[in-house]
Amino acid sequence: MTRPFQLPNDVLLLVGEQLDNHADRWNLIFISQRFHDLFLSLVYRTVRLNHWRDAYSFICAITKRPSLARVVRELDLSRWRKESIPQADWDVLQRSSILKGRLEVSSYSQDETAQWVEHLAQGRGDTWSALMLPLLTQLWQLHLVYSIPSICLNRIMQRAINNERPFQSQPAFQHLSKVSLHHREDLDRPTAHVNAGNGSHEDQSALLLSFFQLPSMRSVFANSVVDPTSISIVPDLETEETEQVSVARSSITEIDLRRSSGNRGMDALIATCADLKSFKYQHSDSHLTSHGYQPTAFYRSLTRSKRSLQSLWLDHYGDHYPFTSAGLNQTHDEWFGSLADFSALRELRIRLANLLDIRYQSEPISPLINSLPGSLEILYIEGCEERHMGMLVSQLRTVIRNRRSQFPHLRCLNIEGSFRNASADELGDTSASAPEPADDTIKPKIVQAAEPLHEDCASAGLELHVYDRTFSQKPH
């Protein structure tokens, strides 16, 4: 009798790795004992925790079987649901030898232990993640939610940087390359907003900066970041300084900051990056300490990276209030400055008012052709007003005419603004007997103004897209 054919384990693992759905991978381990032993490590490669029950079960599993902790490559708590642990469940957890053991190695004093216990009982994702991070020595990616203040997570990260207990046996996070930090206001303590100007943002900055000190870090995403102001000024890398200042250099090459406020151009972050390749920033005036979007501050910061920066997004759909903590908000329409010396820049996404110095006149003082780098491939211009469309078309046509000699890599132009036809309701027309659907087409004036540019792009083999902010419609 012939034995049934069995696929080798290596082949089965390759098949299992093609399953993107975590539930499908989970089901594999229940097929047979062989599949359980074979695919269990695959299930633990990517771990998503949404609740304190998930977190406690996970900690128990990797404590009992350390080999599982070593296969975890990605930890994701970005969809965490905050919920205080019912007293009956918390009484059971406090008797758990595993939880007691984790607290013993993570806490340095009785007062600190009491703080850990309080935050764990509140179901805070940042505290539960801080408890498990010392066990995950082979992490590549980390996606965390945090609240303000985030005391326990901050504490663990500082101890990781300093190689202190519970990280004294081996350097921490030697393989971690990608981190996303999601601040969620619904997770904050009620007093956090009241004390927003009294240390909470400094704690937030300390958490973010701790990841900049890890050796393998390459990519950082964070939201609601307020410009760090509590670290020492970094010397200008373009000039020789007589006084030597010791500055930790970061291996991070990608920074993506959403709904943030950079009063100093995020200089404290950018200055640490020796080889920054991508910087994306979305401004928000919703932070109490915001002084408004200040393009010139970012220009000063990013000048350090002008030989390495390949992708730059500035203020993508940012929020600008008429007034900020500094008073009347007039800074967001400032000219960023010439990008001609950014010799590696391939992709640029920027507001028209920051790309060209047109704040007090209809024509720019410095023409666009003198402000763009020769390396540019994709240009995306946001916030174009209808009154500036003719000027912008003229400036871009000059760029295209000089494309072969000055911009040989340029292949795509994008213009975005409020270009759609207004609906009857928006115009205040109430005479219609029945509501009319909104007209989501581009205004004929805009299409007509863009037509010469469209012809030039077609002749040069370039893509041209004209979008409306609401509907992202392209003219035909």
Side-chain angles (χ1 to χ4, degrees):
M1 181 177 179
T2 59
R3 297 177 60 186
F5 175 74
Q6 289 188 339
L7 289 173
N9 288 346
D10 290 347
V11 175
L12 289 173
L13 284 172
L14 288 174
V15 173
E17 288 175 351
Q18 300 305 310
L19 298 176
D20 295 328
N21 191 309
H22 189 267
D24 291 338
R25 290 185 174 187
W26 182 258
N27 289 333
L28 283 175
I29 67 175
F30 296 106
I31 293 176
S32 66
Q33 184 65 47
R34 180 192 179 201
F35 274 38
H36 178 277
D37 297 340
L38 186 62
F39 290 112
L40 188 60
S41 61
L42 187 62
V43 170
Y44 276 81
R45 188 172 298 177
T46 299
V47 177
R48 294 181 174 88
L49 307 175
N50 300 330
H51 194 269
W52 66 266
R53 292 185 181 86
D54 296 342
Y56 177 66
S57 297
F58 176 64
I59 289 174
C60 288
I62 60 177
T63 302
K64 293 174 181 177
R65 298 184 63 174
S67 61
L68 292 180
R70 290 192 291 270
V71 302
V72 178
R73 297 294 182 265
E74 180 178 0
L75 178 64
D76 186 350
L77 282 81
S78 58
R79 297 183 181 181
W80 184 268
R81 301 190 303 274
K82 181 183 177 183
E83 178 184 321
S84 295
I85 302 175
Q87 189 60 49
D89 291 329
W90 183 240
D91 290 341
V92 174
L93 289 183
Q94 285 189 294
R95 293 194 295 269
S96 164
S97 60
I98 290 178
L99 190 61
K100 288 180 180 178
R102 294 311 312 155
L103 287 172
E104 285 177 3
V105 299
S106 300
S107 178
Y108 283 15
S109 68
Q110 289 184 346
D111 290 342
E112 189 179 320
T113 299
Q115 196 171 55
W116 277 89
V117 167
E118 177 188 356
H119 292 182
L120 289 171
Q122 291 171 355
R124 293 176 53 164
D126 48 12
T127 307
W128 279 99
S129 63
L131 202 63
M132 65 185 71
L133 283 177
L135 297 169
L136 306 177
T137 59
Q138 304 297 312
L139 272 181
W140 294 353
Q141 297 186 36
L142 180 60
H143 312 283
L144 294 179
V145 293
Y146 69 95
S147 55
I148 294 178
S150 186
I151 298 170
C152 296
L153 182 57
N154 252 324
R155 183 180 292 140
I156 280 293
M157 289 307 304
Q158 288 305 313
R159 289 171 183 171
I161 298 301
N162 297 329
N163 291 325
E164 298 172 351
R165 180 166 63 85
F167 299 97
Q168 74 276 22
S169 60
Q170 61 178 354
F173 307 119
Q174 290 295 292
H175 308 286
L176 187 62
S177 63
K178 182 176 182 179
V179 168
S180 58
L181 299 173
H182 304 265
H183 171 240
R184 295 228 316 261
E185 292 182 358
D186 61 302
L187 302 179
D188 286 347
R189 300 181 69 178
T191 57
H193 301 290
V194 177
N195 299 321
N198 298 325
S200 60
H201 289 309
E202 285 78 1
D203 291 341
Q204 179 198 42
S205 299
L207 176 61
L208 180 60
L209 286 166
S210 65
F211 288 100
F212 275 67
Q213 300 178 60
L214 298 177
S216 297
M217 282 296 302
R218 295 294 182 270
S219 174
V220 167
F221 169 95
N223 70 328
S224 299
V225 175
V226 175
D227 211 337
T229 57
S230 59
I231 70 171
S232 59
I233 300 299
V234 178
D236 188 349
L237 301 184
E238 296 299 313
T239 61
E240 293 184 1
E241 299 288 338
T242 56
E243 181 181 358
Q244 295 296 319
V245 181
S246 177
V247 179
R249 307 303 292 164
S250 172
S251 58
I252 287 176
T253 60
E254 299 180 17
I255 301 176
D256 190 340
L257 306 176
R258 305 292 174 91
R259 297 186 63 253
S260 297
S261 177
N263 295 335
R264 298 190 179 186
M266 296 295 174
D267 188 66
L269 302 179
I270 295 171
T272 66
C273 300
D275 190 29
L276 187 63
K277 290 182 168 57
S278 176
F279 182 79
K280 298 179 180 179
Y281 172 79
Q282 179 190 54
H283 183 79
S284 176
D285 283 331
S286 63
H287 304 281
L288 293 178
T289 57
S290 175
H291 293 173
Y293 173 48
Q294 303 184 40
T296 53
F298 281 93
Y299 183 83
R300 289 191 295 270
S301 300
L302 290 166
T303 296
R304 294 188 178 91
S305 303
K306 64 184 180 182
R307 294 185 180 89
S308 62
L309 199 64
Q310 298 177 8
S311 180
L312 175 60
W313 290 24
L314 283 175
D315 196 30
H316 172 54
Y317 290 171
D319 296 326
H320 304 279
Y321 296 170
F323 293 89
T324 67
S325 60
L328 184 63
N329 186 8
Q330 295 181 317
T331 59
H332 64 280
D333 283 339
E334 288 180 346
W335 181 40
F336 174 77
S338 174
L339 288 154
D341 291 337
F342 285 68
S343 56
L345 194 63
R346 299 175 183 174
E347 179 187 23
L348 174 63
R349 186 163 189 154
I350 189 170
R351 296 170 63 242
L352 176 60
N354 306 140
L355 176 64
L356 295 171
D357 51 345
I358 55 173
R359 189 171 179 181
Y360 300 113
Q361 58 276 323
S362 58
E363 293 290 331
I365 295 175
S366 178
L368 181 60
I369 194 172
N370 293 340
S371 297
L372 297 178
S375 57
L376 197 64
E377 299 178 11
I378 300 172
L379 175 61
Y380 198 121
I381 303 170
E382 286 188 15
C384 177
E385 298 180 15
E386 184 175 339
R387 63 192 176 99
H388 287 139
M389 187 64 179
M391 177 276 297
L392 179 58
V393 166
S394 175
Q395 293 289 321
L396 287 172
R397 293 188 73 190
T398 301
V399 168
I400 294 173
R401 283 196 293 269
N402 291 273
R403 171 174 166 261
R404 289 190 176 182
S405 59
Q406 292 185 239
F407 310 101
H409 307 289
L410 189 64
R411 56 184 174 85
C412 186
L413 299 175
N414 302 271
I415 304 174
E416 180 272 338
S418 298
F419 295 149
R420 72 181 176 92
N421 282 311
S423 66
D425 288 342
E426 292 170 323
L427 294 173
D429 183 1
T430 59
S431 60
S433 57
E436 294 289 334
D439 188 350
D440 60 359
T441 59
I442 300 293
K443 293 178 182 179
K445 277 186 188 177
I446 300 298
V447 176
Q448 185 177 3
E451 187 58 32
L453 181 61
H454 176 78
E455 293 175 356
D456 287 353
C457 287
S459 298
L462 302 182
E463 294 182 34
L464 171 65
H465 305 298
V466 178
Y467 299 96
D468 176 77
R469 173 158 293 201
T470 307
F471 291 99
S472 297
Q473 280 288 100
K474 302 175 189 177
H476 298 285

